Amino acid sequence: MSEKTIFKKIIDREIPSDIVYEDEISLAFKDVNPQAPVHILIIPKKEIESTNHLKDDDTALLGHIYTVVLPHLVEKFKLSDGYRLVTNCGNNGGQTVYHLHFHLLGGRFMSWPPG
Ligand code: 5GP
């Protein structure tokens, strides 16, 4: 069996994290190396490596993250003026942890293009 990712260890409470939201489908916690005043990682509890590994039956899971978890965090962290939601995929996308995650960045102006 392949080794657990760091995010699976966070889900299983094997390593600590600053959890800001949790339900049966998803978990959100503060990034250990924040790139903005607000930097939250939103993850599905289901182990999915990246956006390249999504299946037809993951549609509801993605909808849940966008329509339930995201609005909750936007309100909680007062991000109604705007924010950035980023998913890095694969080596060229800069992905370092191979458990699907969404970076929610806010609390400052986000320049474009990203590096
Ligand atoms: P990626 O580069 O895969 O898009 O993002 C991985 C993110 O996970 C990075 O922003 C990194 O700071 C964060 N990260 C890595 N290890 C840990 C950890 O143990 N705890 C937390 N809270 N974040 C982590």
Side-chain angles (χ1 to χ4, degrees):
M1 210 167 97
S2 58
E3 205 184 312
K4 278 187 185 184
T5 66
I6 205 127
F7 292 172
K8 177 63 175 157
K9 289 179 184 170
I10 286 174
I11 292 167
D12 292 344
R13 305 299 202 273
E14 290 173 10
I15 60 170
S17 68
D18 191 345
I19 292 171
V20 294
Y21 179 85
E22 180 169 23
D23 60 29
E24 66 285 357
I25 296 168
S26 57
L27 188 70
F29 50 92
K30 293 186 179 176
D31 195 295
V32 78
N33 182 23
Q35 302 300 312
V38 176
H39 188 169
I40 308 292
L41 298 169
I42 306 170
I43 67 172
K45 288 184 173 174
K46 180 178 174 185
E47 288 182 276
I48 301 169
E49 277 185 43
S50 76
T51 46
N52 273 345
H53 297 80
L54 287 162
K55 305 276 188 251
D56 284 351
D57 64 357
D58 294 321
T59 305
L61 181 158
L62 290 178
H64 180 79
I65 286 174
Y66 273 84
T67 64
V68 177
V69 186
L70 180 61
H72 174 88
L73 293 172
V74 166
E75 185 174 347
K76 181 173 177 132
F77 290 95
K78 302 183 177 15
L79 299 176
S80 56
D81 281 349
Y83 54 84
R84 185 164 291 165
L85 193 66
V86 179
T87 304
N88 299 325
C89 181
N91 187 52
N92 273 6
Q95 185 174 7
T96 58
V97 179
Y98 281 80
H99 182 120
L100 177 65
H101 53 282
F102 299 86
H103 296 257
L104 173 59
L105 297 145
R108 66 167 170 83
F109 181 80
M110 298 291 154
S111 59
W112 191 263

